[in-house]
Protein backbone atom coordinates (compact mmCIF):
# COMPACT_ATOMS: atom_id res chain seq x y z
CA UNK A 1 0.00 0.00 0.00
CA UNK A 2 1.35 3.47 -0.83
CA UNK A 3 1.92 5.88 2.00
CA UNK A 4 -1.10 8.18 1.95
CA UNK A 5 -0.98 11.82 3.09
CA UNK A 6 -3.84 14.30 3.27
CA UNK A 7 -3.30 18.06 3.29
CA UNK A 8 -4.89 21.27 2.07
CA UNK A 9 -2.06 22.34 -0.28
CA UNK A 10 0.55 19.95 -1.68
CA UNK A 11 3.68 21.82 -2.76
CA UNK A 12 6.16 20.02 -5.00
CA UNK A 13 9.62 21.59 -4.58
CA UNK A 14 11.40 23.09 -1.57
CA UNK A 15 13.18 25.84 -3.48
CA UNK A 16 12.57 29.51 -2.71
CA UNK A 17 9.11 29.39 -4.33
CA UNK A 18 7.83 26.33 -2.45
CA UNK A 19 9.22 27.31 0.95
CA UNK A 20 8.01 30.92 0.85
CA UNK A 21 4.59 29.74 -0.31
CA UNK A 22 4.36 27.29 2.60
CA UNK A 23 5.15 30.14 4.98
CA UNK A 24 2.60 32.58 3.51
CA UNK A 25 -0.07 29.86 3.61
CA UNK A 26 0.74 29.02 7.24
CA UNK A 27 0.33 32.71 8.12
CA UNK A 28 -3.23 32.39 6.82
CA UNK A 29 -3.84 29.17 8.75
CA UNK A 30 -3.63 26.97 5.64
CA UNK A 31 -1.81 23.70 6.19
CA UNK A 32 0.53 22.35 3.50
CA UNK A 33 2.98 19.55 2.79
CA UNK A 34 6.22 20.33 0.92
CA UNK A 35 8.11 17.54 -0.83
CA UNK A 36 11.51 17.71 -2.52
CA UNK A 37 13.46 15.04 -4.34
CA UNK A 38 16.75 16.29 -2.86
CA UNK A 39 18.09 16.10 0.69
CA UNK A 40 18.10 19.17 2.91
CA UNK A 41 21.92 19.27 2.75
CA UNK A 42 21.85 19.26 -1.07
CA UNK A 43 19.30 22.08 -1.16
CA UNK A 44 21.36 24.16 1.26
CA UNK A 45 24.56 23.78 -0.73
CA UNK A 46 23.52 24.40 -4.36
CA UNK A 47 25.07 27.65 -5.60
CA UNK A 48 22.65 29.67 -7.73
CA UNK A 49 21.15 33.17 -7.49
CA UNK A 50 22.87 35.99 -5.73
CA UNK A 51 20.96 39.21 -6.29
CA UNK A 52 17.73 39.92 -4.42
CA UNK A 53 15.40 42.74 -5.38
CA UNK A 54 14.33 45.20 -2.69
CA UNK A 55 10.79 43.75 -2.59
CA UNK A 56 12.18 40.22 -2.09
CA UNK A 57 14.33 41.44 0.81
CA UNK A 58 11.38 43.29 2.38
CA UNK A 59 9.28 40.13 2.17
CA UNK A 60 12.04 37.90 3.59
CA UNK A 61 12.56 40.35 6.45
CA UNK A 62 8.85 40.52 7.21
CA UNK A 63 8.40 36.74 7.32
CA UNK A 64 11.64 36.15 9.21
CA UNK A 65 12.94 39.10 11.23
CA UNK A 66 15.98 36.92 12.05
CA UNK A 67 16.94 36.49 8.37
CA UNK A 68 20.63 37.00 7.81
CA UNK A 69 19.98 38.96 4.61
CA UNK A 70 20.33 42.16 6.64
CA UNK A 71 23.49 41.07 8.49
CA UNK A 72 25.36 38.72 6.14
CA UNK A 73 23.86 40.10 2.93
CA UNK A 74 25.21 43.29 1.41
CA UNK A 75 23.13 46.16 0.11
CA UNK A 76 24.20 47.38 -3.32
CA UNK A 77 23.04 50.81 -4.41
CA UNK A 78 24.24 50.52 -8.00
CA UNK A 79 26.03 48.57 -10.69
CA UNK A 80 28.58 49.54 -13.28
CA UNK A 81 28.05 49.16 -17.03
CA UNK A 82 31.42 49.10 -18.77
CA UNK A 83 32.08 49.38 -22.49
CA UNK A 84 34.85 50.75 -24.69
CA UNK A 85 37.07 50.69 -21.61
CA UNK A 86 34.94 53.16 -19.62
CA UNK A 87 32.77 52.49 -16.58
CA UNK A 88 29.34 54.10 -16.12
CA UNK A 89 27.66 53.80 -12.74
CA UNK A 90 23.91 53.20 -12.60
CA UNK A 91 23.07 54.80 -9.25
CA UNK A 92 19.90 52.99 -8.11
CA UNK A 93 19.35 55.14 -5.04
CA UNK A 94 19.68 58.44 -6.91
CA UNK A 95 17.53 57.22 -9.80
CA UNK A 96 14.71 55.28 -8.12
CA UNK A 97 15.45 55.29 -4.37
CA UNK A 98 15.79 51.51 -4.29
CA UNK A 99 18.58 48.93 -3.88
CA UNK A 100 19.36 45.25 -4.35
CA UNK A 101 21.01 42.87 -1.89
CA UNK A 102 23.79 40.44 -2.58
CA UNK A 103 22.77 37.37 -0.57
CA UNK A 104 23.29 33.91 -2.09
CA UNK A 105 20.24 31.75 -2.73
CA UNK A 106 21.61 28.84 -0.67
CA UNK A 107 21.76 31.18 2.34
CA UNK A 108 18.14 32.22 1.70
CA UNK A 109 17.22 28.53 1.59
CA UNK A 110 19.16 27.76 4.77
CA UNK A 111 17.20 30.53 6.54
CA UNK A 112 13.86 29.42 5.10
CA UNK A 113 14.37 25.73 5.89
CA UNK A 114 15.25 26.58 9.51
CA UNK A 115 12.22 28.88 9.72
CA UNK A 116 9.77 26.35 8.30
CA UNK A 117 11.19 23.36 10.21
CA UNK A 118 11.07 25.44 13.41
CA UNK A 119 7.41 26.21 12.75
CA UNK A 120 6.59 22.50 12.41
CA UNK A 121 6.10 22.55 8.62
CA UNK A 122 5.57 19.08 7.13
CA UNK A 123 8.69 18.96 4.91
CA UNK A 124 9.63 15.70 3.22
CA UNK A 125 13.02 15.33 1.58
CA UNK A 126 13.99 12.59 -0.85
CA UNK A 127 10.40 12.37 -2.14
CA UNK A 128 10.11 12.64 -5.94
CA UNK A 129 6.83 13.51 -7.62
CA UNK A 130 6.14 11.74 -10.90
CA UNK A 131 2.75 13.17 -11.80
CA UNK A 132 -0.77 14.15 -10.83
CA UNK A 133 -3.95 12.14 -10.68
CA UNK A 134 -6.78 14.62 -11.09
CA UNK A 135 -9.57 12.17 -11.81
CA UNK A 136 -11.44 14.14 -9.13
CA UNK A 137 -10.66 17.75 -10.15
CA UNK A 138 -11.60 19.03 -6.67
CA UNK A 139 -9.13 16.67 -4.96
CA UNK A 140 -5.95 16.45 -7.05
CA UNK A 141 -3.48 13.81 -5.95
CA UNK A 142 0.32 13.96 -6.21
CA UNK A 143 1.91 10.62 -7.12
CA UNK A 144 5.42 10.32 -5.72
CA UNK A 145 8.14 7.92 -4.58
CA UNK A 146 10.26 8.20 -1.46
CA UNK A 147 14.01 7.59 -1.19
CA UNK A 148 13.41 3.85 -0.51
CA UNK A 149 11.43 3.56 -3.74
CA UNK A 150 8.10 3.25 -1.89
CA UNK A 151 5.03 4.92 -3.33
CA UNK A 152 3.61 8.06 -1.70
CA UNK A 153 0.30 9.72 -2.60
CA UNK A 154 -0.74 13.15 -1.36
CA UNK A 155 -4.41 14.11 -1.54
CA UNK A 156 -4.94 17.86 -1.45
CA UNK A 157 -7.44 20.62 -2.10
CA UNK A 158 -4.83 22.29 -4.31
CA UNK A 159 -1.47 21.26 -5.80
CA UNK A 160 1.35 23.69 -6.59
CA UNK A 161 4.23 22.85 -8.94
CA UNK A 162 7.25 24.69 -7.52
CA UNK A 163 9.59 22.07 -8.94
CA UNK A 164 11.98 24.19 -10.98
CA UNK A 165 12.89 24.41 -14.63
CA UNK A 166 12.66 20.64 -15.29
CA UNK A 167 9.20 20.56 -13.75
CA UNK A 168 7.18 17.36 -13.95
CA UNK A 169 4.13 19.27 -12.72
CA UNK A 170 4.17 21.49 -15.80
CA UNK A 171 2.64 18.90 -18.11
CA UNK A 172 -0.26 18.40 -15.67
CA UNK A 173 -1.02 22.12 -15.87
CA UNK A 174 0.03 23.13 -19.36
CA UNK A 175 -0.22 19.91 -21.37
CA UNK A 176 2.40 17.38 -22.40
CA UNK A 177 4.49 19.80 -24.48
CA UNK A 178 4.55 22.48 -21.79
CA UNK A 179 2.71 24.42 -24.48
CA UNK A 180 4.74 27.55 -23.96
CA UNK A 181 7.00 30.00 -25.72
CA UNK A 182 10.70 29.44 -25.84
CA UNK A 183 13.85 31.26 -26.94
CA UNK A 184 17.36 29.84 -27.00
CA UNK A 185 20.43 32.11 -27.13
CA UNK A 186 23.63 31.52 -29.08
CA UNK A 187 25.88 31.96 -26.04
CA UNK A 188 26.32 30.80 -22.46
CA UNK A 189 28.19 31.87 -19.32
CA UNK A 190 31.35 30.24 -18.09
CA UNK A 191 31.03 30.77 -14.32
CA UNK A 192 33.65 30.39 -11.61
CA UNK A 193 33.76 30.54 -7.84
CA UNK A 194 37.16 31.44 -6.44
CA UNK A 195 38.81 32.19 -3.11
CA UNK A 196 39.69 35.86 -3.48
CA UNK A 197 38.68 39.26 -2.13
CA UNK A 198 36.25 41.38 -4.22
CA UNK A 199 37.75 43.19 -7.20
CA UNK A 200 35.28 46.08 -6.97
CA UNK A 201 32.67 47.44 -4.56
CA UNK A 202 29.77 46.84 -6.95
CA UNK A 203 29.00 44.38 -9.77
CA UNK A 204 30.59 45.18 -13.13
CA UNK A 205 28.64 44.27 -16.30
CA UNK A 206 31.25 44.59 -19.01
CA UNK A 207 30.68 44.60 -22.76
CA UNK A 208 33.97 44.17 -24.62
CA UNK A 209 35.02 43.38 -28.19
CA UNK A 210 35.95 39.87 -26.98
CA UNK A 211 32.58 39.24 -25.32
CA UNK A 212 30.71 39.93 -22.09
CA UNK A 213 32.00 39.47 -18.53
CA UNK A 214 30.26 39.89 -15.17
CA UNK A 215 32.37 40.55 -12.11
CA UNK A 216 30.00 39.53 -9.36
CA UNK A 217 30.59 38.65 -5.71
CA UNK A 218 29.61 36.08 -3.14
CA UNK A 219 31.19 37.11 0.17
CA UNK A 220 34.28 39.00 1.36
CA UNK A 221 36.33 35.81 0.79
CA UNK A 222 34.63 34.18 -2.22
CA UNK A 223 33.91 35.71 -5.62
CA UNK A 224 31.62 34.73 -8.50
CA UNK A 225 32.63 35.76 -12.02
CA UNK A 226 31.33 34.88 -15.46
CA UNK A 227 32.40 35.31 -19.05
CA UNK A 228 30.41 34.80 -22.24
CA UNK A 229 31.27 31.52 -23.95
CA UNK A 230 30.00 29.09 -26.55
CA UNK A 231 27.14 26.90 -25.18
CA UNK A 232 29.09 23.78 -26.22
CA UNK A 233 32.21 24.75 -24.23
CA UNK A 234 33.62 22.09 -21.89
CA UNK A 235 33.80 23.58 -18.38
CA UNK A 236 36.92 21.53 -17.62
CA UNK A 237 38.80 22.55 -20.78
CA UNK A 238 40.47 25.87 -19.90
CA UNK A 239 43.34 26.10 -17.42
CA UNK A 240 43.04 28.53 -14.51
CA UNK A 241 45.55 30.78 -16.26
CA UNK A 242 43.35 30.84 -19.38
CA UNK A 243 40.23 31.60 -17.34
CA UNK A 244 41.91 34.57 -15.65
CA UNK A 245 43.34 35.83 -18.94
CA UNK A 246 39.87 35.72 -20.55
CA UNK A 247 38.20 37.49 -17.64
CA UNK A 248 40.91 40.13 -17.33
CA UNK A 249 40.85 40.94 -21.06
CA UNK A 250 37.12 41.65 -20.81
CA UNK A 251 37.30 44.15 -17.95
CA UNK A 252 39.99 46.59 -19.03
CA UNK A 253 40.59 49.21 -16.35
CA UNK A 254 40.13 46.87 -13.37
CA UNK A 255 42.88 44.66 -12.05
CA UNK A 256 41.10 41.47 -11.01
CA UNK A 257 42.03 40.00 -7.63
CA UNK A 258 42.77 36.35 -8.33
CA UNK A 259 42.63 33.20 -6.22
CA UNK A 260 42.15 29.45 -6.59
CA UNK A 261 39.11 28.51 -8.70
CA UNK A 262 37.15 25.85 -6.79
CA UNK A 263 34.03 25.59 -8.95
CA UNK A 264 33.43 26.06 -12.65
CA UNK A 265 30.34 25.54 -14.81
CA UNK A 266 28.80 26.43 -18.15
CA UNK A 267 25.35 27.93 -17.86
CA UNK A 268 23.20 27.94 -21.01
CA UNK A 269 20.65 30.68 -21.63
CA UNK A 270 16.97 30.14 -22.24
CA UNK A 271 13.78 32.14 -22.04
CA UNK A 272 10.61 30.15 -21.47
CA UNK A 273 7.06 30.85 -20.35
CA UNK A 274 4.57 27.99 -19.92
CA UNK A 275 1.32 28.38 -21.88
CA UNK A 276 -0.81 27.92 -18.75
CA UNK A 277 0.13 28.68 -15.15
CA UNK A 278 -3.04 27.23 -13.68
CA UNK A 279 -5.59 24.58 -14.54
CA UNK A 280 -8.40 23.84 -12.12
CA UNK A 281 -6.82 23.18 -8.73
CA UNK A 282 -3.27 22.99 -10.04
CA UNK A 283 -0.86 25.93 -10.46
CA UNK A 284 2.78 26.57 -11.33
CA UNK A 285 5.14 29.06 -9.69
CA UNK A 286 8.78 30.06 -10.20
CA UNK A 287 11.08 28.27 -12.62
CA UNK A 288 8.42 25.62 -13.21
CA UNK A 289 6.39 28.35 -14.93
CA UNK A 290 9.16 30.37 -16.56
CA UNK A 291 12.90 30.65 -17.12
CA UNK A 292 14.89 33.80 -17.84
CA UNK A 293 18.52 34.22 -18.85
CA UNK A 294 20.51 35.25 -15.76
CA UNK A 295 21.70 38.65 -17.04
CA UNK A 296 18.89 40.57 -15.33
CA UNK A 297 19.10 38.57 -12.03
CA UNK A 298 15.35 38.03 -12.17
CA UNK A 299 14.73 34.26 -11.74
CA UNK A 300 14.42 33.89 -8.00
CA UNK A 301 12.80 37.30 -7.62
CA UNK A 302 10.15 36.35 -10.15
CA UNK A 303 9.49 33.13 -8.23
CA UNK A 304 8.84 35.22 -5.11
CA UNK A 305 6.46 37.53 -7.00
CA UNK A 306 4.41 34.54 -8.30
CA UNK A 307 4.14 33.14 -4.81
CA UNK A 308 2.86 36.39 -3.32
CA UNK A 309 0.02 36.40 -5.88
CA UNK A 310 -0.74 32.70 -5.49
CA UNK A 311 -0.77 32.78 -1.66
CA UNK A 312 -3.39 35.51 -1.72
CA UNK A 313 -5.45 33.63 -4.30
CA UNK A 314 -5.29 30.40 -2.27
CA UNK A 315 -6.33 32.24 0.87
CA UNK A 316 -9.42 33.57 -0.93
CA UNK A 317 -10.20 30.15 -2.46
CA UNK A 318 -9.59 27.90 0.51
CA UNK A 319 -10.65 30.16 3.39
CA UNK A 320 -13.39 32.24 1.79
CA UNK A 321 -14.53 30.02 -1.09
CA UNK A 322 -13.86 32.95 -3.44
CA UNK A 323 -12.33 31.86 -6.77
CA UNK A 324 -11.89 35.30 -8.36
CA UNK A 325 -8.18 35.66 -7.54
CA UNK A 326 -7.29 32.13 -8.58
CA UNK A 327 -9.21 32.59 -11.82
CA UNK A 328 -7.03 35.62 -12.67
CA UNK A 329 -3.74 34.30 -11.18
CA UNK A 330 -2.21 33.43 -14.58
CA UNK A 331 -3.11 36.71 -16.19
CA UNK A 332 -1.82 38.83 -13.28
CA UNK A 333 1.40 36.82 -12.87
CA UNK A 334 2.11 36.94 -16.62
CA UNK A 335 2.16 40.75 -16.65
CA UNK A 336 5.23 40.82 -14.44
CA UNK A 337 6.72 37.68 -15.99
CA UNK A 338 6.73 39.29 -19.44
CA UNK A 339 8.20 42.54 -18.10
CA UNK A 340 10.98 40.49 -16.54
CA UNK A 341 11.36 38.44 -19.72
CA UNK A 342 11.78 41.63 -21.69
CA UNK A 343 14.29 43.12 -19.24
CA UNK A 344 16.36 39.92 -19.14
CA UNK A 345 16.31 39.62 -22.96
CA UNK A 346 17.20 43.31 -23.35
CA UNK A 347 20.14 43.21 -20.90
CA UNK A 348 21.37 40.00 -22.53
CA UNK A 349 21.25 41.39 -26.08
CA UNK A 350 22.75 44.75 -25.12
CA UNK A 351 25.71 43.28 -23.24
CA UNK A 352 26.72 40.13 -25.15
CA UNK A 353 28.66 40.06 -28.38
CA UNK A 354 26.61 38.27 -31.07
CA UNK A 355 28.73 35.32 -32.33
CA UNK A 356 28.10 36.13 -35.98
CA UNK A 357 27.74 39.88 -35.54
CA UNK A 358 29.28 42.28 -38.02
CA UNK A 359 30.56 45.83 -37.70
CA UNK A 360 27.02 47.21 -37.88
CA UNK A 361 25.90 45.04 -34.96
CA UNK A 362 28.86 46.09 -32.85
CA UNK A 363 28.45 49.81 -33.49
CA UNK A 364 24.69 49.66 -32.98
CA UNK A 365 25.25 47.92 -29.65
CA UNK A 366 27.60 50.67 -28.47
CA UNK A 367 24.94 53.19 -29.57
CA UNK A 368 22.39 51.32 -27.47
CA UNK A 369 24.65 51.32 -24.41
CA UNK A 370 25.28 55.05 -24.87
CA UNK A 371 21.52 55.65 -25.16
CA UNK A 372 21.17 54.13 -21.69
CA UNK A 373 24.10 55.60 -19.79
CA UNK A 374 23.86 59.09 -21.29
CA UNK A 375 20.14 59.46 -20.59
CA UNK A 376 18.59 59.80 -17.14
CA UNK A 377 15.45 58.10 -18.45
CA UNK A 378 17.54 55.21 -19.79
CA UNK A 379 19.44 54.77 -16.52
CA UNK A 380 16.19 55.06 -14.54
CA UNK A 381 14.50 52.29 -16.56
CA UNK A 382 17.44 49.99 -15.92
CA UNK A 383 17.51 50.89 -12.20
CA UNK A 384 13.75 50.42 -11.80
CA UNK A 385 13.68 47.03 -13.51
CA UNK A 386 16.88 45.74 -11.84
CA UNK A 387 15.78 46.67 -8.30
CA UNK A 388 12.30 45.29 -9.05
CA UNK A 389 8.78 46.51 -9.59
CA UNK A 390 6.42 46.58 -6.58
CA UNK A 391 5.56 43.06 -5.51
CA UNK A 392 1.78 42.99 -5.55
CA UNK A 393 1.04 44.28 -9.08
C1 LIG B 1 23.96 30.26 -11.96
C2 LIG B 1 22.64 30.89 -11.69
C3 LIG B 1 22.59 32.22 -11.25
C4 LIG B 1 21.37 32.80 -10.97
N1 LIG B 1 21.35 34.11 -10.52
C5 LIG B 1 20.17 34.67 -10.15
C6 LIG B 1 20.12 35.97 -9.53
O1 LIG B 1 21.15 36.64 -9.32
N2 LIG B 1 18.90 36.46 -9.15
C7 LIG B 1 17.76 35.73 -9.34
O2 LIG B 1 16.67 36.21 -8.96
N3 LIG B 1 17.76 34.48 -9.90
C8 LIG B 1 18.93 33.94 -10.30
N4 LIG B 1 18.96 32.65 -10.79
C9 LIG B 1 17.71 31.90 -10.96
C10 LIG B 1 17.22 31.27 -9.65
O3 LIG B 1 18.23 30.47 -9.07
C11 LIG B 1 15.95 30.45 -9.92
O4 LIG B 1 15.06 31.25 -10.67
C12 LIG B 1 15.27 30.00 -8.61
O5 LIG B 1 16.00 28.95 -8.02
C13 LIG B 1 13.83 29.53 -8.88
O6 LIG B 1 13.28 29.06 -7.68
P1 LIG B 1 12.19 27.90 -7.69
O7 LIG B 1 11.82 27.68 -6.27
O8 LIG B 1 11.15 28.22 -8.68
O9 LIG B 1 12.93 26.62 -8.30
P2 LIG B 1 14.20 25.81 -7.77
O10 LIG B 1 15.09 26.67 -6.95
O11 LIG B 1 14.78 25.14 -8.95
O12 LIG B 1 13.57 24.73 -6.78
C14 LIG B 1 12.84 23.62 -7.28
C15 LIG B 1 12.94 22.49 -6.26
O13 LIG B 1 12.10 21.42 -6.73
C16 LIG B 1 12.74 20.20 -6.52
N5 LIG B 1 12.19 19.24 -7.49
C17 LIG B 1 12.39 19.22 -8.83
N6 LIG B 1 11.70 18.21 -9.39
C18 LIG B 1 11.06 17.58 -8.38
C19 LIG B 1 10.19 16.45 -8.33
N7 LIG B 1 9.82 15.78 -9.44
N8 LIG B 1 9.71 16.05 -7.12
C20 LIG B 1 10.06 16.71 -5.98
N9 LIG B 1 10.89 17.80 -5.99
C21 LIG B 1 11.36 18.21 -7.16
C22 LIG B 1 14.21 20.50 -6.72
O14 LIG B 1 15.03 19.55 -6.04
C23 LIG B 1 14.34 21.91 -6.13
O15 LIG B 1 14.74 21.91 -4.77
C24 LIG B 1 20.17 32.04 -11.12
C25 LIG B 1 20.21 30.71 -11.56
C26 LIG B 1 21.42 30.13 -11.84
C27 LIG B 1 21.45 28.69 -12.28
Amino acid sequence: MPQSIRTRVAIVGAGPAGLILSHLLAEEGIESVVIDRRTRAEIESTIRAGILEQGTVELLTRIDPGTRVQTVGERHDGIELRFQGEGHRIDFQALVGRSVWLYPQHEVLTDLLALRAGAGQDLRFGVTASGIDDTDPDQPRVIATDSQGDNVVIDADFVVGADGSRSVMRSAVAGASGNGVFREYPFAWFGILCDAPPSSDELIYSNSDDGFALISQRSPQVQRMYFQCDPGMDAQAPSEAEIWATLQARVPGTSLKRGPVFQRDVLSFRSFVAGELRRGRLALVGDAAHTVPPTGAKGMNLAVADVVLLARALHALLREDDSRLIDTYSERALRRIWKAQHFSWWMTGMLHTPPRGDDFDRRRQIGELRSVVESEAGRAYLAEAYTGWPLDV
Side-chain angles (χ1 to χ4, degrees):
M1 285 293 287
Q3 186 189 347
S4 180
I5 302 164
R6 166 88 195 119
T7 187
R8 295 221 75 191
V9 180
I11 301 174
V12 179
L19 291 172
I20 293 174
L21 179 64
S22 75
H23 187 93
L24 297 180
L25 292 176
E27 283 185 338
E28 302 293 345
I30 301 170
E31 182 230 353
S32 65
V33 171
V34 182
I35 61 167
D36 201 291
R37 64 181 164 79
R38 296 187 294 165
T39 64
R40 181 169 175 174
E42 283 170 327
I43 295 172
E44 289 180 341
S45 60
T46 305
I47 304 290
R48 294 184 77 183
I51 298 291
L52 306 184
E53 294 175 359
Q54 179 154 329
T56 300
V57 170
E58 286 166 358
L59 179 78
L60 291 175
T61 310
R62 182 184 72 66
I63 67 177
D64 179 12
T67 173
R68 294 167 304 137
V69 66
Q70 303 287 0
T71 49
V72 177
E74 263 186 44
R75 198 181 89 188
H76 282 219
D77 294 338
I79 56 169
E80 184 184 306
L81 288 192
R82 188 171 298 188
F83 56 95
Q84 296 195 310
E86 272 178 37
H88 305 263
R89 183 162 190 261
I90 308 294
D91 184 337
F92 299 155
Q93 275 295 326
L95 289 158
V96 293
R98 292 171 78 77
S99 299
V100 293
W101 272 253
L102 185 90
Y103 188 57
Q105 180 168 329
H106 64 281
E107 301 287 6
V108 174
L109 288 168
T110 301
D111 291 350
L112 286 170
L113 285 164
L115 179 73
R116 295 310 304 138
Q121 172 69 43
D122 191 340
L123 278 168
R124 299 185 188 220
F125 301 103
V127 178
T128 304
S130 55
I132 294 282
D133 174 356
D134 60 351
T135 317
D136 176 356
D138 290 331
Q139 289 289 303
R141 169 178 275 194
V142 178
I143 311 297
T145 315
D146 69 15
S147 53
Q148 268 75 53
D150 293 330
N151 294 335
V152 177
V153 296
I154 310 173
D155 288 297
D157 297 331
F158 204 98
V159 173
V160 179
D163 52 341
S165 57
R166 300 206 172 118
S167 171
V168 297
M169 295 291 107
R170 192 183 296 138
S171 60
V173 176
S177 66
N179 188 28
V181 277
F182 181 74
R183 168 70 45 101
E184 201 147 16
Y185 296 78
F187 32 72
W189 277 2
F190 190 100
I192 61 160
L193 279 166
C194 65
D195 290 315
S199 295
S200 69
D201 292 339
E202 293 176 343
L203 272 58
I204 303 173
Y205 287 78
S206 185
N207 167 294
S208 81
D209 288 341
D210 298 326
F212 171 71
L214 170 58
I215 308 307
S216 182
Q217 302 169 11
R218 193 84 334 188
S219 71
Q221 299 79 28
V222 173
Q223 307 313 314
R224 185 79 161 135
M225 304 184 198
Y226 304 92
F227 62 82
Q228 175 184 347
C229 70
D230 186 90
M233 183 169 178
D234 174 3
Q236 302 311 318
S239 66
E240 283 200 27
E242 286 166 335
I243 292 172
W244 286 113
T246 304
L247 281 165
Q248 185 60 73
R250 296 185 186 190
V251 280
T254 294
S255 182
L256 292 178
K257 300 208 170 108
R258 303 177 185 200
V261 173
F262 64 87
Q263 189 178 307
R264 43 169 83 196
D265 40 42
V266 170
L267 176 66
S268 57
F269 278 31
R270 288 182 314 138
S271 297
F272 170 75
V273 182
E276 302 292 338
L277 304 194
R278 176 242 168 190
R279 185 171 67 81
R281 287 184 168 241
L282 313 172
L284 300 175
V285 286
D287 279 14
H290 42 71
T291 314
V292 288
T295 326
K298 282 280 159 270
M300 174 172 156
N301 295 296
L302 212 44
V304 170
D306 293 345
V307 158
V308 168
L309 289 180
L310 186 63
R312 225 169 271 154
L314 289 179
H315 169 78
L317 181 72
L318 300 177
R319 303 281 295 181
E320 294 160 4
D321 201 23
D322 178 349
S323 63
R324 283 174 297 178
L325 287 179
I326 199 69
D327 287 343
T328 55
Y329 163 69
S330 270
E331 182 196 324
R332 288 177 299 120
L334 284 166
R335 283 185 208 153
R336 186 189 188 99
I337 291 165
W338 277 109
K339 280 164 71 170
Q341 284 291 1
H342 169 70
F343 178 67
S344 306
W345 169 90
W346 174 68
M347 286 282 279
T348 301
M350 178 168 70
L351 289 164
H352 291 72
T353 311
R356 282 170 295 283
D358 59 14
D359 199 33
F360 176 87
D361 293 315
R362 187 75 193 113
R363 289 172 191 238
R364 187 209 58 76
Q365 194 177 49
I366 298 298
E368 184 177 12
L369 282 157
R370 289 214 174 283
S371 308
V372 175
V373 301
E374 294 175 1
S375 146
E376 183 165 345
R379 293 195 305 277
Y381 165 66
L382 198 157
E384 181 188 46
Y386 196 94
T387 57
W389 306 283
L391 257 187
D392 53 350
V393 290

